[in-house]
Amino acid sequence: MFSKEMLKLFLEGTAETFYMVLVSTLAAYLIGLPLGVVLVVSEKDGIRPMPGLNRILGILINLLRSAPFLILLVALTPVTRAIVGTSLGSTATIVPLVIGSAPFIARMVESSIKEVDAGVIEAAQSMGASPMQIVMRVMLPEAKPSLTVGAAIAITTILGYSAMAGFVGGGGLGTIAVNYGVYRYQTDVMLFTLALLVLIVQAFQEVGMRIANRIDKRKK
Amino acid sequence: MEQKEIIRIEGLTKRFSGKNGEVVALENIDLSVNEGEIFGIIGLSGAGKSTLVRCINLLERPTAGRVFVNGQELSSLSDKELRLARRGIGMIFQQFNLLMQSTALDNICFPLLLAGVNKKEAEKRALELLEIVGLSDKKNAYPAQLSGGQKQRIAIARALANEPKVLLCDEATSALDPTTTRSILSLLKEINERLGITIIVITHEMRVVEEICSRVAILDASHVVELGSVQEIFRKPKTAAARRLLFPGKENGAAVGIGERLLRIVFDGMTPFEPVIANMVLACGAPVNIMFANTRAIEGKTVGQMIVQLPESEEAVSRIEAYLNTQNITFEEVKEDVL
Ligand SMILES: Nc1ncnc2c1ncn2[C@@H]1O[C@H](COP(=O)(O)OP(=O)(O)OP(=O)(O)O)[C@@H](O)[C@H]1O
Ligand SMILES: [Mg+2]
């Protein structure tokens, strides 16, 4: 159906997309996970209340989250250039991907941890657990299945963002879809790229759910 | 007999300020618990029982008053000292509160690891504890694979891991069926006797108190309204709150038949239960209507009580009273509202 060069292009595009998405997800979790934990812990009735910090973080996260990703992508160009040296290509796209998804990951982590039974946390407190021990030994392990589902959602969302970045030369499958489908009217290329993206989203989602189900010991 | 007190509560008041104003959960509570006893705190829902027990390990900070455990005033401690002190106070809960993603063994290791015990040592101790609670074969099971009673046993093992002096039980059997309740209660009793751990049992069920407690405090509307030995309170409840807890079957609304007057007959372990009423009826030639009956073994003695409706005839009533007097059976006339 496609020429050898086209197939090579798809392959490279897919590899680039994977690279962007995986590195971004990892980096976004490095920021989002601790942020999410701090959001829960510092709440008014949290295990280490810090209402001021909680408020500021909440506002900051909401601000970032309310900006549509495409706008963030453009607005962050100077930042990206300062960090990577260019605003084009897959490595450059990692910057807005991380900044755009870390706040939303923080919120997802927050809600996963909040699902942990308050009684279990209380039991740990009654045994003399410190806030740090509660985070590391109770909250995170107990929230693991939910965090895994969250990670699957995060990764697919970031994949979607990365495709959007194709419009501004972000690299990966998104760029192929835009270059061939939008600018050259090669609908077949666009559709094929789309199919690849859908397939990848499906795969991540499915794998994430399965892992979550498997590690969840609440089910017999 | 001089007894050492292990918990002393002085002038404890706890208020919660919520959206719809202030709630007084506890007001000016004074209480002390002796080392090695099983102490019951009983009260209806909302009386403040959970709040009281949570003030003992400071999961809840008292608004006023002081709590001493093991000679330490907990509210004067720093966070770090408090965490250390809490290791000496085990706690179990109605909902068990086990780590759902950890095995039974890991749940029991948990408090040990918190305390800095190394993994190997912790596992060794956890296995011993599993043995004590009779669940050695379930060490690799997750809580979701265990029954309620088994989960509570794991929770008990976990609470005992750091060798506490005191064990707090907040409605520990309220989620369990009667048979399982009995087995958990006898486990607690065994722990109390074997390890000498002081146990505080919070409950709204009289039968729990009857079964294992030596002393009991009745909590009603934020106050301790009665305090004493279980037998004492069981025989002569002084307050309406105590009577409400003693006769939970009120809603069974027994039919009013023979007369209006009610007599409460108390069995203190001296007399066998059944024949007394039968003999009385035979001896007096007058029928009575049994409205409520409840007998149990308390600390080896059979203790129970019964509310009977007296015959209409004054003469028959005095015959019955005379008969009971000759048998040395305690009785008192009571009002309808005890039922
Ligand atoms: N965190 C809280 N905030 C506000 N009010 C509270 C809080 N905890 C308890 N209360 C109130 O304090 C009172 C006593 O509650 P507590 O839980 O101690 O009762 P309880 O005797 O344990 O009842 P139950 O048998 O239902 O468990 C209730 O009126 C309750 O609404
Ligand atoms: Mg309660």
Side-chain angles (χ1 to χ4, degrees):
Chain A
M1 189 165 90
F2 294 112
S3 66
K4 224 173 166 183
E5 289 82 72
M6 274 315 285
L7 285 178
K8 191 164 165 259
L9 197 70
F10 284 132
L11 208 65
E12 276 172 12
T14 307
E16 250 178 50
T17 293
F18 268 93
Y19 157 72
M20 248 185 326
V21 169
L22 293 179
V23 173
S24 302
T25 307
L26 216 69
Y29 262 92
L30 283 179
I31 302 169
L33 187 70
L35 265 183
V37 168
V38 171
L39 277 174
V40 178
V41 167
S42 65
E43 256 197 347
K44 195 161 88 304
D45 344 281
I47 54 171
R48 186 89 175 68
M50 292 175 276
L53 177 72
N54 187 278
R55 190 82 159 272
I56 293 169
L57 279 181
I59 292 173
L60 209 73
I61 286 170
N62 287 346
L63 273 178
L64 274 171
R65 286 201 60 197
S66 50
F69 181 68
L70 211 55
I71 292 177
L72 206 64
L73 196 62
V74 178
L76 283 173
T77 314
V79 181
T80 307
R81 229 177 250 136
I83 298 176
V84 188
T86 168
S87 68
L88 295 177
S90 48
T91 304
T93 308
I94 289 172
V95 175
L97 281 180
V98 170
I99 296 175
S101 60
F104 128 84
I105 287 172
R107 285 293 184 207
M108 270 201 314
V109 168
E110 180 191 18
S111 92
S112 289
I113 295 179
K114 275 191 177 164
E115 281 167 30
V116 175
D117 185 3
V120 181
I121 293 169
E122 186 161 277
Q125 281 176 318
S126 80
M127 289 176 239
S130 66
M132 194 61 180
Q133 286 176 319
I134 291 176
V135 169
M136 301 307 285
R137 292 178 182 271
V138 182
M139 288 179 165
L140 293 178
E142 286 289 290
K144 208 155 72 182
S146 172
L147 287 169
T148 309
V149 173
I153 297 173
I155 214 167
T156 51
T157 305
I158 292 173
L159 190 77
Y161 284 174
S162 84
M164 257 187 250
F167 271 100
V168 291
L173 290 173
T175 300
I176 298 176
V178 171
N179 285 352
Y180 290 81
V182 179
Y183 299 138
R184 296 187 206 169
Y185 303 106
Q186 292 190 10
T187 320
D188 57 338
V189 175
M190 193 176 73
L191 285 179
F192 188 72
T193 330
L194 204 67
L196 273 178
L197 283 168
V198 170
L199 220 69
I200 297 171
V201 168
Q202 280 293 335
F204 276 127
Q205 198 65 45
E206 190 68 20
V207 169
M209 290 299 184
R210 276 191 194 188
I211 295 176
N213 264 324
R214 234 216 351 256
I215 61 173
D216 192 352
K217 305 302 184 195
R218 282 171 300 184
K219 295 168 188 147
K220 300 185 188 195
Chain B
M1 185 170 61
E2 185 60 27
Q3 271 174 323
K4 192 167 166 277
E5 69 179 15
I6 190 155
I7 293 173
R8 190 164 82 245
I9 297 169
E10 288 177 355
L12 174 65
T13 295
K14 176 69 192 184
R15 286 187 286 264
F16 292 104
S17 41
K19 284 180 199 97
N20 2 325
E22 221 171 47
V23 182
V24 180
L26 295 171
E27 198 167 7
N28 208 9
I29 306 280
D30 293 306
L31 209 60
S32 75
V33 176
N34 296 323
E35 188 157 21
E37 76 175 326
I38 303 187
F39 188 91
I41 297 174
I42 184 167
L44 296 172
S45 186
K49 307 178 297 288
S50 296
T51 309
L52 178 55
V53 78
R54 291 158 53 82
C55 281
I56 296 177
N57 61 4
L58 238 62
L59 280 178
E60 212 75 79
R61 288 244 165 214
T63 311
R66 299 193 293 176
V67 177
F68 295 88
V69 180
N70 238 332
Q72 267 184 319
E73 193 202 336
L74 296 190
S75 46
S76 71
L77 302 179
S78 70
D79 284 357
K80 205 166 164 202
E81 289 167 329
L82 174 63
R83 289 201 286 269
L84 268 173
R86 277 179 177 162
R87 286 186 202 155
I89 311 170
M91 188 169 189
I92 58 173
F93 307 82
Q94 178 172 0
Q95 296 306 330
F96 323 122
N97 295 346
L98 296 173
L99 295 162
M100 296 304 284
Q101 308 292 345
S102 300
T103 60
L105 190 72
D106 287 342
N107 263 287
I108 304 172
C109 286
F110 177 73
L112 294 162
L113 298 177
L114 289 180
V117 176
N118 72 48
K119 180 97 190 176
K120 228 178 108 193
E121 201 60 32
E123 270 181 16
K124 198 173 136 238
R125 171 110 182 92
L127 287 170
E128 288 166 16
L129 286 157
L130 273 170
E131 183 91 44
I132 291 180
V133 299
L135 285 178
S136 300
D137 54 328
K138 296 288 181 192
K139 64 174 180 182
N140 292 321
Y142 287 92
Q145 299 164 323
L146 299 172
S147 71
Q150 290 171 332
K151 280 186 234 183
Q152 197 60 290
R153 282 169 187 270
I154 299 297
I156 290 171
R158 179 176 73 171
L160 296 179
N162 278 318
E163 300 181 342
K165 291 221 129 153
V166 178
L167 180 63
L168 308 175
C169 313
D170 188 359
E171 304 271 9
T173 56
S174 300
L176 306 174
D177 63 55
T179 315
T180 315
T181 294
R182 205 154 307 130
S183 82
I184 292 293
L185 292 179
S186 64
L187 174 64
L188 289 176
K189 186 143 201 163
E190 189 189 321
I191 285 164
N192 166 260
E193 282 162 4
R194 259 177 64 183
L195 309 174
I197 294 175
T198 309
I199 300 183
I200 297 196
V201 174
I202 300 282
T203 181
H204 61 270
E205 291 172 301
M206 197 61 198
R207 64 189 171 105
V208 171
V209 170
E210 287 166 35
E211 198 126 348
I212 60 168
C213 297
S214 47
R215 287 200 306 144
V216 62
I218 295 182
L219 203 60
D220 186 53
S222 321
H223 294 88
V224 173
V225 293
E226 278 190 58
L227 176 76
S229 82
V230 173
Q231 291 194 36
E232 207 175 287
I233 288 191
F234 192 78
R235 269 188 226 169
K236 280 202 166 51
K238 293 196 268 296
T239 58
R243 283 192 291 267
R244 267 204 306 278
L245 288 159
L246 276 166
F247 310 115
K250 183 180 173 172
E251 59 278 4
N252 293 349
V256 183
I258 1 178
E260 305 280 69
R261 295 168 66 188
L262 300 173
L263 197 67
R264 192 160 82 93
I265 302 171
V266 179
F267 303 91
D268 54 9
M270 301 304 160
T271 38
F273 173 68
E274 287 294 356
V276 170
I277 299 301
N279 293 345
M280 180 181 82
V281 169
L282 285 175
C284 305
V288 294
N289 190 12
I290 299 174
M291 308 290 285
F292 175 90
N294 180 357
T295 51
R296 269 170 233 275
I298 295 181
E299 299 209 311
K301 282 187 259 174
T302 303
V303 174
Q305 59 179 336
M306 193 175 265
I307 305 262
V308 297
Q309 209 168 23
L310 293 170
E312 289 233 79
S313 135
E314 283 298 322
E315 207 250 338
V317 172
S318 46
R319 256 184 293 154
I320 286 174
E321 289 182 348
Y323 177 80
L324 290 173
N325 273 327
T326 62
Q327 302 293 312
N328 272 326
I329 294 168
T330 318
F331 65 92
E332 61 171 340
E333 204 169 325
V334 289
K335 294 259 161 58
E336 179 104 49
D337 66 3
V338 300
L339 285 172

